[in-house]
Amino acid sequence: MSGELILLVDDEPSIVQLARMYLEREGFRVESVNDGEAALAEVARQRPALVVLDVMLPKLDGFEVCRRLRASQNPIAILMLTARDEDIDKILGLELGADDYLTKPFNPRELVARVKAILRRGERKVTDAVPIQLGDLTVDPARREVRLCSRALSLRAQEFDLLLTLAEHRGLVLSREQILQKAWGFDFYGQTRTVDVHVAHLRKKLEESSVRIETVTGVGYKLLVPS
């Protein structure tokens, strides 16, 4: 993970300076741009491991940058920054394909923790783990593949880790905080809405499966597998 390139996209110099200092201290290489059009150009040119993407940007806002990257099937990891408190903005960013979000003002140590957690997802290899059979669904941790009957399902890294976590605890209720810790790789920071949005995404992709993700009101989620 050390040495990977992070692209900071923010038009506030103080934010860029602070984030750069903390990320470089952890061994990351850092480049920065201050508008949405430049962000798209730099992603294409430099192929960074992750983009820290502010919502409020000149030319193209962060949501549009995220939408265009995902529309072009670019799998780059995206951590969105927002100064807004309304859930709708955060949810919209995730529905467009962001991996996570962080609200300004943020603790730079938390930013680093989020970046590391997102990048660890892509590195996670469980070479000695056997595939998990869940009704008509097969989850293969070693290959990081999911098959519905004989058809491969296209899951993004975080969707796979979420499904794997639920599969490993099938039939058991996991709180949102537990899911964040197990599937996202960091402790509860008070933004469990991230879990809800990714569960909604995963449910859509499992619509043709007999496997279901059940909401346990006031607690969390559990995976139901037909007997």
Side-chain angles (χ1 to χ4, degrees):
M1 185 184 300
S2 180
E4 290 192 299
L5 178 62
I6 307 298
L7 178 63
L8 299 176
V9 187
D10 200 306
D11 61 343
E12 297 182 53
S14 60
I15 295 290
V16 172
Q17 183 179 5
L18 184 66
R20 178 190 293 275
M21 180 176 66
Y22 274 80
L23 288 166
E24 288 182 342
R25 185 181 295 172
E26 294 296 320
F28 293 106
R29 294 179 295 127
V30 179
E31 295 290 343
S32 64
V33 293
N34 58 14
D35 69 71
E37 289 183 355
L40 291 172
E42 284 301 290
V43 168
R45 188 174 72 86
Q46 302 221 47
R47 299 183 181 276
L50 181 144
V51 178
V52 179
L53 180 61
D54 190 30
V55 168
M56 301 300 291
L57 292 170
K59 299 184 180 179
L60 293 176
D61 68 25
F63 290 140
E64 180 62 16
V65 172
C66 185
R67 188 194 67 77
R68 292 192 187 188
L69 288 171
R70 294 306 185 226
S72 67
Q73 304 301 310
N74 192 317
I76 188 170
I78 299 173
L79 172 62
M80 298 200 78
L81 301 178
T82 174
R84 304 173 182 176
D85 290 330
E86 295 85 353
D87 269 349
I88 187 63
D89 288 327
K90 301 166 186 174
I91 294 167
L92 177 58
L94 291 169
E95 286 179 344
L96 289 171
D99 294 272
D100 203 357
Y101 69 85
L102 197 55
T103 304
K104 293 180 177 181
F106 58 83
N107 184 324
R109 292 184 181 87
E110 183 174 350
L111 172 69
V112 172
R114 296 291 185 97
V115 167
K116 287 182 174 180
I118 293 170
L119 293 177
R120 275 198 302 268
R121 296 169 205 166
E123 292 178 348
R124 228 173 269 171
K125 297 290 182 183
V126 194
T127 54
D128 59 345
V130 298
I132 302 171
Q133 192 65 46
L134 308 164
D136 54 10
L137 208 63
T138 304
V139 181
D140 189 334
R143 292 184 171 85
R144 292 185 66 83
E145 294 176 350
V146 178
R147 303 191 74 84
L148 173 56
C149 297
S150 60
R151 177 169 61 88
L153 290 184
S154 178
L155 300 185
R156 292 175 50 243
Q158 188 53 60
E159 293 167 346
F160 179 87
D161 287 332
L162 172 59
L163 179 58
L164 179 60
T165 296
L166 293 170
E168 290 172 337
H169 299 82
R170 53 196 176 278
L172 303 177
V173 181
L174 294 179
S175 69
R176 291 169 177 83
E177 292 84 356
Q178 288 174 315
I179 293 171
L180 271 178
Q181 198 281 323
K182 295 176 185 296
W184 268 255
F186 51 79
D187 293 330
F188 174 47
Y189 287 108
Q191 298 182 6
T192 53
R193 193 65 174 148
T194 302
V195 176
D196 296 334
V197 174
H198 279 86
V199 166
H201 284 191
L202 193 52
R203 278 174 168 158
K204 289 179 182 177
K205 295 188 176 181
L206 297 179
E207 282 179 343
E208 297 179 17
S209 172
S210 58
V211 174
R212 293 286 179 265
I213 302 173
E214 180 181 276
T215 301
V216 181
T217 305
V219 183
Y221 297 100
K222 69 176 176 180
L223 196 70
L224 295 180
V225 182
S227 55

mmCIF file of all heavy atoms in Angstrom, residues 64-112:
data_model
loop_
_atom_site.group_PDB
_atom_site.id
_atom_site.type_symbol
_atom_site.label_atom_id
_atom_site.label_comp_id
_atom_site.label_asym_id
_atom_site.label_seq_id
_atom_site.Cartn_x
_atom_site.Cartn_y
_atom_site.Cartn_z
ATOM 1 N N GLU A 64 -20.619 14.779 -10.386
ATOM 2 C CA GLU A 64 -20.534 14.567 -11.833
ATOM 3 C C GLU A 64 -19.238 13.858 -12.210
ATOM 4 O O GLU A 64 -19.225 12.991 -13.089
ATOM 5 C CB GLU A 64 -20.640 15.904 -12.568
ATOM 6 C CG GLU A 64 -20.567 15.794 -14.087
ATOM 7 C CD GLU A 64 -21.675 14.980 -14.716
ATOM 8 O OE1 GLU A 64 -22.705 14.725 -14.048
ATOM 9 O OE2 GLU A 64 -21.517 14.583 -15.893
ATOM 10 N N VAL A 65 -18.146 14.210 -11.533
ATOM 11 C CA VAL A 65 -16.881 13.513 -11.768
ATOM 12 C C VAL A 65 -17.038 12.028 -11.444
ATOM 13 O O VAL A 65 -16.644 11.153 -12.228
ATOM 14 C CB VAL A 65 -15.747 14.125 -10.923
ATOM 15 C CG1 VAL A 65 -14.473 13.272 -11.026
ATOM 16 C CG2 VAL A 65 -15.458 15.560 -11.373
ATOM 17 N N CYS A 66 -17.645 11.745 -10.296
ATOM 18 C CA CYS A 66 -17.869 10.357 -9.885
ATOM 19 C C CYS A 66 -18.755 9.628 -10.889
ATOM 20 O O CYS A 66 -18.466 8.502 -11.306
ATOM 21 C CB CYS A 66 -18.502 10.346 -8.489
ATOM 22 S SG CYS A 66 -18.713 8.703 -7.789
ATOM 23 N N ARG A 67 -19.829 10.290 -11.312
ATOM 24 C CA ARG A 67 -20.759 9.669 -12.260
ATOM 25 C C ARG A 67 -20.049 9.323 -13.566
ATOM 26 O O ARG A 67 -20.229 8.235 -14.114
ATOM 27 C CB ARG A 67 -21.934 10.608 -12.535
ATOM 28 C CG ARG A 67 -23.050 9.965 -13.355
ATOM 29 C CD ARG A 67 -24.023 10.990 -13.887
ATOM 30 N NE ARG A 67 -23.402 11.861 -14.886
ATOM 31 C CZ ARG A 67 -23.168 11.487 -16.153
ATOM 32 N NH1 ARG A 67 -23.476 10.282 -16.565
ATOM 33 N NH2 ARG A 67 -22.606 12.339 -16.995
ATOM 34 N N ARG A 68 -19.231 10.247 -14.071
ATOM 35 C CA ARG A 68 -18.545 10.004 -15.344
ATOM 36 C C ARG A 68 -17.518 8.885 -15.231
ATOM 37 O O ARG A 68 -17.354 8.082 -16.161
ATOM 38 C CB ARG A 68 -17.880 11.292 -15.825
ATOM 39 C CG ARG A 68 -18.881 12.363 -16.243
ATOM 40 C CD ARG A 68 -18.184 13.507 -16.973
ATOM 41 N NE ARG A 68 -19.113 14.606 -17.232
ATOM 42 C CZ ARG A 68 -18.819 15.664 -17.975
ATOM 43 N NH1 ARG A 68 -17.616 15.775 -18.545
ATOM 44 N NH2 ARG A 68 -19.703 16.621 -18.161
ATOM 45 N N LEU A 69 -16.817 8.832 -14.104
ATOM 46 C CA LEU A 69 -15.843 7.760 -13.921
ATOM 47 C C LEU A 69 -16.526 6.401 -13.913
ATOM 48 O O LEU A 69 -16.068 5.451 -14.554
ATOM 49 C CB LEU A 69 -15.054 7.969 -12.626
ATOM 50 C CG LEU A 69 -14.039 9.113 -12.629
ATOM 51 C CD1 LEU A 69 -13.490 9.345 -11.228
ATOM 52 C CD2 LEU A 69 -12.897 8.821 -13.608
ATOM 53 N N ARG A 70 -17.639 6.304 -13.200
ATOM 54 C CA ARG A 70 -18.334 5.019 -13.124
ATOM 55 C C ARG A 70 -19.038 4.683 -14.439
ATOM 56 O O ARG A 70 -19.117 3.515 -14.832
ATOM 57 C CB ARG A 70 -19.337 5.020 -11.969
ATOM 58 C CG ARG A 70 -18.697 5.112 -10.589
ATOM 59 C CD ARG A 70 -17.655 4.041 -10.371
ATOM 60 N NE ARG A 70 -17.131 4.054 -9.010
ATOM 61 C CZ ARG A 70 -15.846 3.987 -8.702
ATOM 62 N NH1 ARG A 70 -14.939 3.908 -9.653
ATOM 63 N NH2 ARG A 70 -15.447 3.995 -7.446
ATOM 64 N N ALA A 71 -19.537 5.701 -15.131
ATOM 65 C CA ALA A 71 -20.188 5.464 -16.424
ATOM 66 C C ALA A 71 -19.195 4.901 -17.439
ATOM 67 O O ALA A 71 -19.571 4.146 -18.334
ATOM 68 C CB ALA A 71 -20.818 6.751 -16.952
ATOM 69 N N SER A 72 -17.918 5.264 -17.280
ATOM 70 C CA SER A 72 -16.879 4.748 -18.178
ATOM 71 C C SER A 72 -16.279 3.441 -17.659
ATOM 72 O O SER A 72 -15.275 2.964 -18.180
ATOM 73 C CB SER A 72 -15.765 5.791 -18.347
ATOM 74 O OG SER A 72 -15.069 5.984 -17.118
ATOM 75 N N GLN A 73 -16.917 2.878 -16.628
ATOM 76 C CA GLN A 73 -16.483 1.603 -16.027
ATOM 77 C C GLN A 73 -15.110 1.699 -15.371
ATOM 78 O O GLN A 73 -14.395 0.702 -15.254
ATOM 79 C CB GLN A 73 -16.476 0.474 -17.074
ATOM 80 C CG GLN A 73 -17.796 0.256 -17.770
ATOM 81 C CD GLN A 73 -18.920 -0.078 -16.804
ATOM 82 O OE1 GLN A 73 -18.769 -0.959 -15.965
ATOM 83 N NE2 GLN A 73 -20.040 0.628 -16.902
ATOM 84 N N ASN A 74 -14.734 2.902 -14.936
ATOM 85 C CA ASN A 74 -13.467 3.061 -14.228
ATOM 86 C C ASN A 74 -13.648 2.608 -12.781
ATOM 87 O O ASN A 74 -14.472 3.167 -12.053
ATOM 88 C CB ASN A 74 -13.022 4.530 -14.272
ATOM 89 C CG ASN A 74 -11.595 4.713 -13.810
ATOM 90 O OD1 ASN A 74 -11.168 4.129 -12.822
ATOM 91 N ND2 ASN A 74 -10.844 5.539 -14.514
ATOM 92 N N PRO A 75 -12.887 1.603 -12.330
ATOM 93 C CA PRO A 75 -13.084 1.056 -10.981
ATOM 94 C C PRO A 75 -12.306 1.780 -9.889
ATOM 95 O O PRO A 75 -12.267 1.316 -8.754
ATOM 96 C CB PRO A 75 -12.572 -0.374 -11.141
ATOM 97 C CG PRO A 75 -11.446 -0.237 -12.121
ATOM 98 C CD PRO A 75 -11.868 0.844 -13.094
ATOM 99 N N ILE A 76 -11.680 2.903 -10.201
ATOM 100 C CA ILE A 76 -10.843 3.597 -9.231
ATOM 101 C C ILE A 76 -11.589 3.833 -7.916
ATOM 102 O O ILE A 76 -12.794 4.111 -7.896
ATOM 103 C CB ILE A 76 -10.352 4.939 -9.806
ATOM 104 C CG1 ILE A 76 -9.312 5.585 -8.882
ATOM 105 C CG2 ILE A 76 -11.506 5.889 -10.066
ATOM 106 C CD1 ILE A 76 -8.614 6.775 -9.503
ATOM 107 N N ALA A 77 -10.861 3.698 -6.806
ATOM 108 C CA ALA A 77 -11.459 3.953 -5.496
ATOM 109 C C ALA A 77 -11.727 5.449 -5.321
ATOM 110 O O ALA A 77 -10.882 6.272 -5.682
ATOM 111 C CB ALA A 77 -10.527 3.451 -4.395
ATOM 112 N N ILE A 78 -12.901 5.776 -4.777
ATOM 113 C CA ILE A 78 -13.299 7.178 -4.616
ATOM 114 C C ILE A 78 -13.780 7.415 -3.188
ATOM 115 O O ILE A 78 -14.694 6.754 -2.703
ATOM 116 C CB ILE A 78 -14.425 7.559 -5.594
ATOM 117 C CG1 ILE A 78 -13.972 7.389 -7.047
ATOM 118 C CG2 ILE A 78 -14.886 9.001 -5.353
ATOM 119 C CD1 ILE A 78 -15.083 7.583 -8.068
ATOM 120 N N LEU A 79 -13.134 8.369 -2.523
ATOM 121 C CA LEU A 79 -13.573 8.849 -1.206
ATOM 122 C C LEU A 79 -14.053 10.277 -1.382
ATOM 123 O O LEU A 79 -13.275 11.157 -1.748
ATOM 124 C CB LEU A 79 -12.414 8.797 -0.208
ATOM 125 C CG LEU A 79 -12.647 9.432 1.170
ATOM 126 C CD1 LEU A 79 -13.769 8.723 1.913
ATOM 127 C CD2 LEU A 79 -11.366 9.407 1.996
ATOM 128 N N MET A 80 -15.336 10.517 -1.141
ATOM 129 C CA MET A 80 -15.902 11.843 -1.373
ATOM 130 C C MET A 80 -15.871 12.679 -0.108
ATOM 131 O O MET A 80 -16.089 12.167 1.001
ATOM 132 C CB MET A 80 -17.331 11.732 -1.897
ATOM 133 C CG MET A 80 -17.418 11.016 -3.228
ATOM 134 S SD MET A 80 -18.941 11.342 -4.148
ATOM 135 C CE MET A 80 -18.576 12.965 -4.825
ATOM 136 N N LEU A 81 -15.597 13.966 -0.274
ATOM 137 C CA LEU A 81 -15.621 14.932 0.818
ATOM 138 C C LEU A 81 -16.810 15.858 0.613
ATOM 139 O O LEU A 81 -17.022 16.371 -0.489
ATOM 140 C CB LEU A 81 -14.342 15.772 0.844
ATOM 141 C CG LEU A 81 -13.017 15.032 1.002
ATOM 142 C CD1 LEU A 81 -11.868 16.026 0.966
ATOM 143 C CD2 LEU A 81 -12.990 14.227 2.291
ATOM 144 N N THR A 82 -17.578 16.057 1.659
ATOM 145 C CA THR A 82 -18.714 16.961 1.545
ATOM 146 C C THR A 82 -18.807 17.851 2.770
ATOM 147 O O THR A 82 -18.563 17.404 3.895
ATOM 148 C CB THR A 82 -20.040 16.199 1.374
ATOM 149 O OG1 THR A 82 -21.121 17.120 1.408
ATOM 150 C CG2 THR A 82 -20.243 15.147 2.450
ATOM 151 N N ALA A 83 -19.129 19.118 2.554
ATOM 152 C CA ALA A 83 -19.333 20.046 3.668
ATOM 153 C C ALA A 83 -20.798 20.084 4.065
ATOM 154 O O ALA A 83 -21.163 20.774 4.997
ATOM 155 C CB ALA A 83 -18.862 21.451 3.263
ATOM 156 N N ARG A 84 -21.622 19.344 3.344
ATOM 157 C CA ARG A 84 -23.061 19.362 3.613
ATOM 158 C C ARG A 84 -23.429 18.268 4.598
ATOM 159 O O ARG A 84 -22.837 17.194 4.600
ATOM 160 C CB ARG A 84 -23.836 19.141 2.307
ATOM 161 C CG ARG A 84 -23.486 20.140 1.212
ATOM 162 C CD ARG A 84 -24.169 19.728 -0.074
ATOM 163 N NE ARG A 84 -23.824 20.628 -1.175
ATOM 164 C CZ ARG A 84 -24.223 20.443 -2.422
ATOM 165 N NH1 ARG A 84 -24.958 19.392 -2.729
ATOM 166 N NH2 ARG A 84 -23.885 21.299 -3.365
ATOM 167 N N ASP A 85 -24.418 18.527 5.394
ATOM 168 C CA ASP A 85 -24.841 17.562 6.402
ATOM 169 C C ASP A 85 -26.018 16.700 5.946
ATOM 170 O O ASP A 85 -26.319 15.689 6.562
ATOM 171 C CB ASP A 85 -25.232 18.283 7.702
ATOM 172 C CG ASP A 85 -24.011 18.864 8.406
ATOM 173 O OD1 ASP A 85 -22.932 18.275 8.257
ATOM 174 O OD2 ASP A 85 -24.150 19.892 9.076
ATOM 175 N N GLU A 86 -26.701 17.111 4.891
ATOM 176 C CA GLU A 86 -27.885 16.372 4.480
ATOM 177 C C GLU A 86 -27.496 14.986 3.952
ATOM 178 O O GLU A 86 -26.605 14.840 3.133
ATOM 179 C CB GLU A 86 -28.655 17.121 3.385
ATOM 180 C CG GLU A 86 -29.255 18.442 3.832
ATOM 181 C CD GLU A 86 -28.268 19.594 3.732
ATOM 182 O OE1 GLU A 86 -27.076 19.338 3.446
ATOM 183 O OE2 GLU A 86 -28.697 20.744 3.952
ATOM 184 N N ASP A 87 -28.186 13.973 4.429
ATOM 185 C CA ASP A 87 -27.902 12.611 3.992
ATOM 186 C C ASP A 87 -28.034 12.455 2.489
ATOM 187 O O ASP A 87 -27.309 11.671 1.879
ATOM 188 C CB ASP A 87 -28.859 11.621 4.672
ATOM 189 C CG ASP A 87 -28.283 11.076 5.971
ATOM 190 O OD1 ASP A 87 -27.091 11.302 6.229
ATOM 191 O OD2 ASP A 87 -29.018 10.416 6.705
ATOM 192 N N ILE A 88 -28.936 13.204 1.891
ATOM 193 C CA ILE A 88 -29.193 13.001 0.465
ATOM 194 C C ILE A 88 -27.944 13.213 -0.362
ATOM 195 O O ILE A 88 -27.686 12.495 -1.338
ATOM 196 C CB ILE A 88 -30.344 13.920 -0.029
ATOM 197 C CG1 ILE A 88 -30.720 13.584 -1.490
ATOM 198 C CG2 ILE A 88 -29.977 15.388 0.093
ATOM 199 C CD1 ILE A 88 -31.252 12.204 -1.703
ATOM 200 N N ASP A 89 -27.109 14.192 0.023
ATOM 201 C CA ASP A 89 -25.882 14.428 -0.732
ATOM 202 C C ASP A 89 -24.916 13.257 -0.573
ATOM 203 O O ASP A 89 -24.277 12.818 -1.532
ATOM 204 C CB ASP A 89 -25.208 15.720 -0.268
ATOM 205 C CG ASP A 89 -25.963 16.958 -0.722
ATOM 206 O OD1 ASP A 89 -26.559 16.911 -1.809
ATOM 207 O OD2 ASP A 89 -25.967 17.953 0.018
ATOM 208 N N LYS A 90 -24.796 12.775 0.649
ATOM 209 C CA LYS A 90 -23.891 11.661 0.901
ATOM 210 C C LYS A 90 -24.377 10.409 0.174
ATOM 211 O O LYS A 90 -23.594 9.679 -0.444
ATOM 212 C CB LYS A 90 -23.799 11.409 2.406
ATOM 213 C CG LYS A 90 -23.290 12.617 3.180
ATOM 214 C CD LYS A 90 -23.536 12.453 4.665
ATOM 215 C CE LYS A 90 -23.162 13.722 5.424
ATOM 216 N NZ LYS A 90 -23.520 13.646 6.844
ATOM 217 N N ILE A 91 -25.675 10.164 0.259
ATOM 218 C CA ILE A 91 -26.247 8.983 -0.380
ATOM 219 C C ILE A 91 -26.094 9.067 -1.887
ATOM 220 O O ILE A 91 -25.746 8.099 -2.554
ATOM 221 C CB ILE A 91 -27.731 8.833 0.010
ATOM 222 C CG1 ILE A 91 -27.835 8.538 1.508
ATOM 223 C CG2 ILE A 91 -28.390 7.722 -0.787
ATOM 224 C CD1 ILE A 91 -29.241 8.680 2.050
ATOM 225 N N LEU A 92 -26.336 10.251 -2.436
ATOM 226 C CA LEU A 92 -26.219 10.432 -3.876
ATOM 227 C C LEU A 92 -24.812 10.097 -4.335
ATOM 228 O O LEU A 92 -24.603 9.407 -5.330
ATOM 229 C CB LEU A 92 -26.566 11.867 -4.270
ATOM 230 C CG LEU A 92 -26.418 12.223 -5.760
ATOM 231 C CD1 LEU A 92 -27.273 11.320 -6.625
ATOM 232 C CD2 LEU A 92 -26.776 13.686 -6.001
ATOM 233 N N GLY A 93 -23.831 10.550 -3.595
ATOM 234 C CA GLY A 93 -22.457 10.250 -3.956
ATOM 235 C C GLY A 93 -22.190 8.767 -3.978
ATOM 236 O O GLY A 93 -21.535 8.244 -4.879
ATOM 237 N N LEU A 94 -22.712 8.037 -3.000
ATOM 238 C CA LEU A 94 -22.497 6.602 -2.951
ATOM 239 C C LEU A 94 -23.271 5.884 -4.046
ATOM 240 O O LEU A 94 -22.801 4.914 -4.620
ATOM 241 C CB LEU A 94 -22.893 6.056 -1.575
ATOM 242 C CG LEU A 94 -21.968 6.483 -0.436
ATOM 243 C CD1 LEU A 94 -22.576 6.121 0.900
ATOM 244 C CD2 LEU A 94 -20.606 5.837 -0.574
ATOM 245 N N GLU A 95 -24.484 6.355 -4.341
ATOM 246 C CA GLU A 95 -25.271 5.726 -5.399
ATOM 247 C C GLU A 95 -24.602 5.900 -6.756
ATOM 248 O O GLU A 95 -24.775 5.083 -7.654
ATOM 249 C CB GLU A 95 -26.689 6.293 -5.415
ATOM 250 C CG GLU A 95 -27.535 5.786 -4.257
ATOM 251 C CD GLU A 95 -28.928 6.367 -4.248
ATOM 252 O OE1 GLU A 95 -29.156 7.373 -4.937
ATOM 253 O OE2 GLU A 95 -29.782 5.800 -3.542
ATOM 254 N N LEU A 96 -23.836 6.971 -6.909
ATOM 255 C CA LEU A 96 -23.108 7.180 -8.154
ATOM 256 C C LEU A 96 -21.859 6.321 -8.224
ATOM 257 O O LEU A 96 -21.213 6.246 -9.250
ATOM 258 C CB LEU A 96 -22.729 8.656 -8.300
ATOM 259 C CG LEU A 96 -23.882 9.613 -8.586
ATOM 260 C CD1 LEU A 96 -23.411 11.062 -8.489
ATOM 261 C CD2 LEU A 96 -24.474 9.353 -9.959
ATOM 262 N N GLY A 97 -21.513 5.681 -7.115
ATOM 263 C CA GLY A 97 -20.395 4.759 -7.144
ATOM 264 C C GLY A 97 -19.214 5.096 -6.264
ATOM 265 O O GLY A 97 -18.157 4.481 -6.375
ATOM 266 N N ALA A 98 -19.358 6.076 -5.369
ATOM 267 C CA ALA A 98 -18.266 6.368 -4.439
ATOM 268 C C ALA A 98 -18.131 5.221 -3.438
ATOM 269 O O ALA A 98 -19.095 4.546 -3.109
ATOM 270 C CB ALA A 98 -18.532 7.678 -3.705
ATOM 271 N N ASP A 99 -16.915 5.003 -2.958
ATOM 272 C CA ASP A 99 -16.676 3.926 -2.000
ATOM 273 C C ASP A 99 -16.988 4.350 -0.573
ATOM 274 O O ASP A 99 -17.338 3.525 0.259
ATOM 275 C CB ASP A 99 -15.214 3.476 -2.091
ATOM 276 C CG ASP A 99 -14.906 2.829 -3.426
ATOM 277 O OD1 ASP A 99 -15.105 1.614 -3.541
ATOM 278 O OD2 ASP A 99 -14.500 3.547 -4.354
ATOM 279 N N ASP A 100 -16.857 5.631 -0.288
ATOM 280 C CA ASP A 100 -17.100 6.116 1.059
ATOM 281 C C ASP A 100 -17.170 7.636 1.015
ATOM 282 O O ASP A 100 -16.884 8.247 -0.021
ATOM 283 C CB ASP A 100 -15.968 5.675 1.989
ATOM 284 C CG ASP A 100 -16.377 5.643 3.454
ATOM 285 O OD1 ASP A 100 -17.530 6.015 3.764
ATOM 286 O OD2 ASP A 100 -15.543 5.251 4.282
ATOM 287 N N TYR A 101 -17.566 8.241 2.114
ATOM 288 C CA TYR A 101 -17.593 9.697 2.191
ATOM 289 C C TYR A 101 -17.108 10.148 3.559
ATOM 290 O O TYR A 101 -17.117 9.398 4.531
ATOM 291 C CB TYR A 101 -19.000 10.250 1.919
ATOM 292 C CG TYR A 101 -20.007 9.938 3.002
ATOM 293 C CD1 TYR A 101 -20.137 10.748 4.132
ATOM 294 C CD2 TYR A 101 -20.829 8.828 2.905
ATOM 295 C CE1 TYR A 101 -21.040 10.455 5.134
ATOM 296 C CE2 TYR A 101 -21.745 8.530 3.899
ATOM 297 C CZ TYR A 101 -21.852 9.342 5.002
ATOM 298 O OH TYR A 101 -22.750 9.047 5.998
ATOM 299 N N LEU A 102 -16.684 11.390 3.616
ATOM 300 C CA LEU A 102 -16.221 11.998 4.854
ATOM 301 C C LEU A 102 -16.724 13.433 4.858
ATOM 302 O O LEU A 102 -16.665 14.119 3.837
ATOM 303 C CB LEU A 102 -14.693 11.969 4.893
ATOM 304 C CG LEU A 102 -13.971 12.179 6.217
ATOM 305 C CD1 LEU A 102 -14.449 11.184 7.269
ATOM 306 C CD2 LEU A 102 -12.461 12.026 6.004
ATOM 307 N N THR A 103 -17.259 13.860 5.997
ATOM 308 C CA THR A 103 -17.836 15.196 6.093
ATOM 309 C C THR A 103 -16.811 16.194 6.618
ATOM 310 O O THR A 103 -16.105 15.931 7.583
ATOM 311 C CB THR A 103 -19.060 15.181 7.032
ATOM 312 O OG1 THR A 103 -20.000 14.217 6.559
ATOM 313 C CG2 THR A 103 -19.735 16.532 7.069
ATOM 314 N N LYS A 104 -16.728 17.338 5.954
ATOM 315 C CA LYS A 104 -15.880 18.428 6.426
ATOM 316 C C LYS A 104 -16.570 19.162 7.568
ATOM 317 O O LYS A 104 -17.791 19.302 7.547
ATOM 318 C CB LYS A 104 -15.613 19.423 5.299
ATOM 319 C CG LYS A 104 -14.768 18.906 4.142
ATOM 320 C CD LYS A 104 -14.615 20.020 3.113
ATOM 321 C CE LYS A 104 -13.734 19.631 1.969
ATOM 322 N NZ LYS A 104 -13.588 20.730 0.986
ATOM 323 N N PRO A 105 -15.818 19.695 8.519
ATOM 324 C CA PRO A 105 -14.373 19.514 8.713
ATOM 325 C C PRO A 105 -14.070 18.106 9.217
ATOM 326 O O PRO A 105 -14.842 17.537 9.981
ATOM 327 C CB PRO A 105 -14.022 20.573 9.758
ATOM 328 C CG PRO A 105 -15.275 20.748 10.540
ATOM 329 C CD PRO A 105 -16.413 20.547 9.570
ATOM 330 N N PHE A 106 -12.955 17.552 8.806
ATOM 331 C CA PHE A 106 -12.623 16.182 9.183
ATOM 332 C C PHE A 106 -11.289 16.151 9.901
ATOM 333 O O PHE A 106 -10.449 17.042 9.755
ATOM 334 C CB PHE A 106 -12.582 15.269 7.954
ATOM 335 C CG PHE A 106 -11.604 15.712 6.903
ATOM 336 C CD1 PHE A 106 -10.255 15.386 6.985
ATOM 337 C CD2 PHE A 106 -12.034 16.460 5.812
ATOM 338 C CE1 PHE A 106 -9.354 15.799 6.024
ATOM 339 C CE2 PHE A 106 -11.136 16.877 4.839
ATOM 340 C CZ PHE A 106 -9.800 16.546 4.949
ATOM 341 N N ASN A 107 -11.112 15.100 10.678
ATOM 342 C CA ASN A 107 -9.824 14.843 11.324
ATOM 343 C C ASN A 107 -8.911 14.205 10.278
ATOM 344 O O ASN A 107 -9.271 13.185 9.692
ATOM 345 C CB ASN A 107 -10.035 13.885 12.506
ATOM 346 C CG ASN A 107 -8.760 13.634 13.294
ATOM 347 O OD1 ASN A 107 -7.667 13.558 12.733
ATOM 348 N ND2 ASN A 107 -8.897 13.482 14.601
ATOM 349 N N PRO A 108 -7.748 14.779 9.994
ATOM 350 C CA PRO A 108 -6.880 14.203 8.958
ATOM 351 C C PRO A 108 -6.456 12.769 9.249
ATOM 352 O O PRO A 108 -6.205 11.998 8.327
ATOM 353 C CB PRO A 108 -5.682 15.156 8.924
ATOM 354 C CG PRO A 108 -5.733 15.909 10.208
ATOM 355 C CD PRO A 108 -7.175 16.004 10.583
ATOM 356 N N ARG A 109 -6.406 12.397 10.519
ATOM 357 C CA ARG A 109 -6.079 11.006 10.855
ATOM 358 C C ARG A 109 -7.195 10.077 10.402
ATOM 359 O O ARG A 109 -6.944 8.939 9.994
ATOM 360 C CB ARG A 109 -5.842 10.867 12.366
ATOM 361 C CG ARG A 109 -4.587 11.567 12.861
ATOM 362 C CD ARG A 109 -4.356 11.303 14.333
ATOM 363 N NE ARG A 109 -3.166 11.990 14.815
ATOM 364 C CZ ARG A 109 -3.156 13.247 15.263
ATOM 365 N NH1 ARG A 109 -4.281 13.946 15.287
ATOM 366 N NH2 ARG A 109 -2.038 13.808 15.678
ATOM 367 N N GLU A 110 -8.431 10.567 10.495
ATOM 368 C CA GLU A 110 -9.553 9.763 10.016
ATOM 369 C C GLU A 110 -9.507 9.629 8.498
ATOM 370 O O GLU A 110 -9.792 8.566 7.946
ATOM 371 C CB GLU A 110 -10.885 10.379 10.448
ATOM 372 C CG GLU A 110 -12.078 9.532 10.040
ATOM 373 C CD GLU A 110 -13.393 10.041 10.591
ATOM 374 O OE1 GLU A 110 -13.398 10.946 11.452
ATOM 375 O OE2 GLU A 110 -14.424 9.523 10.142
ATOM 376 N N LEU A 111 -9.120 10.698 7.819
ATOM 377 C CA LEU A 111 -8.971 10.632 6.367
ATOM 378 C C LEU A 111 -7.972 9.539 5.996
ATOM 379 O O LEU A 111 -8.238 8.709 5.114
ATOM 380 C CB LEU A 111 -8.498 11.978 5.818
ATOM 381 C CG LEU A 111 -8.109 11.989 4.337
ATOM 382 C CD1 LEU A 111 -9.331 11.792 3.457
ATOM 383 C CD2 LEU A 111 -7.399 13.298 3.969
ATOM 384 N N VAL A 112 -6.837 9.524 6.654
ATOM 385 C CA VAL A 112 -5.815 8.516 6.375
ATOM 386 C C VAL A 112 -6.355 7.116 6.663
ATOM 387 O O VAL A 112 -6.138 6.174 5.881
ATOM 388 C CB VAL A 112 -4.542 8.782 7.198
ATOM 389 C CG1 VAL A 112 -3.552 7.618 7.060
ATOM 390 C CG2 VAL A 112 -3.879 10.082 6.751
#
